[in-house]
Amino acid sequence: SELLPYNMNLIHINPDEMMLMYHRMGPECWDGRYNIAFWLWELEEIPEHWKKYFPMLDEIWTPSEFISRNLRKVTDLPVYTMPYCVEAPVDEQIDRTYFKLPEDQFLFLVMYDSNSTIERKNPTGAIRAFRAAFKNNPDVGLIIKINNAKQKDMDQLGRWLKDCPNVYYITDTLSKVEVNSLIFLADVFISLHRAEGFGLVMAEAMIVGTPVIATNWSSNTEFMNPDVACMVDCTFTQLEKDSPPYKKGARWADPDIRMAAKYMRKLYKDREFYEKIRQSAQDYIKEKLSMEQAVNRIRKRIGEIYESFERDL
């Protein structure tokens, strides 16, 4: 709908599109309303140019306390953490043959979007861990799902995976249900990211019952812990050069590849451990990121805002 019947706007776009939206919609859509931005960011350092958008807003929401905490360092606006509700419906008619995947291999899944930067998503780390854990093991495979795959990315992956058997690339654009089904069909999802603004795919893997190996840093740690996932230790490095949209000097994680490889082997060999992680994660995430939790948080905050309107009258 193009209608804006309420006196409150929830603007779920990142700052780089704020001015475009302002001009497209016109000031009458903003003026006299309570404007809430819902923003995501992956690193501790908030971009300097975001600050020019603060005067357009009354408050900011984010899906993780990691982002909220970093924003509070640079603005006096109220900042509230509003985690997403996560649901991941699958199509039970979709099986591995649908994706041209083998039925008889233990499959790890790595997933990233080239537009989210290959450096931050760090599929290289997962590949290195896979090679260290299962060199020439015919019973284990690696799925690499890439959105917006570029030829240079495919060439780079080819070099990293040279002489590595049982690697399956999926570059097709899939529906959300197809993606959820792919995650469900994998035995393990692995994300050795350097930073996450939320970590949606990890949450979706947990909710469909696929164990997760993940870097123990940034926003995903707010819905993951060692009881429900394989959390990989990390050290920290600084960017030696700009990696757009991230600036030189920013800090991000460097996950422990040997520890990740150890978890990969344990999930493959230890069925009892595998089932414990799978079931614990599914139970935990359904409660932690439920629709009820999300609705209650939003209802509570909107109620507080309207109470403040009444006090100001």
Side-chain angles (χ1 to χ4, degrees), residues 126-180:
I127 290 166
R128 288 169 57 202
F130 177 77
R131 291 185 66 109
F134 302 111
K135 188 174 182 180
N136 300 324
N137 186 330
D139 298 323
V140 182
L142 179 67
I143 311 165
I144 303 179
K145 171 68 179 83
I146 314 170
N147 291 341
N148 300 302
K150 299 176 177 63
Q151 189 56 50
K152 67 176 183 179
D153 296 332
M154 299 305 297
D155 293 342
Q156 195 172 38
L157 287 169
R159 291 191 295 272
W160 290 336
L161 290 161
K162 185 179 180 181
D163 302 325
C164 191
N166 304 334
V167 177
Y168 310 96
Y169 299 100
I170 300 176
T171 59
D172 297 338
T173 299
L174 304 178
S175 70
K176 191 67 186 110
V177 170
E178 286 175 313
V179 172
N180 296 341

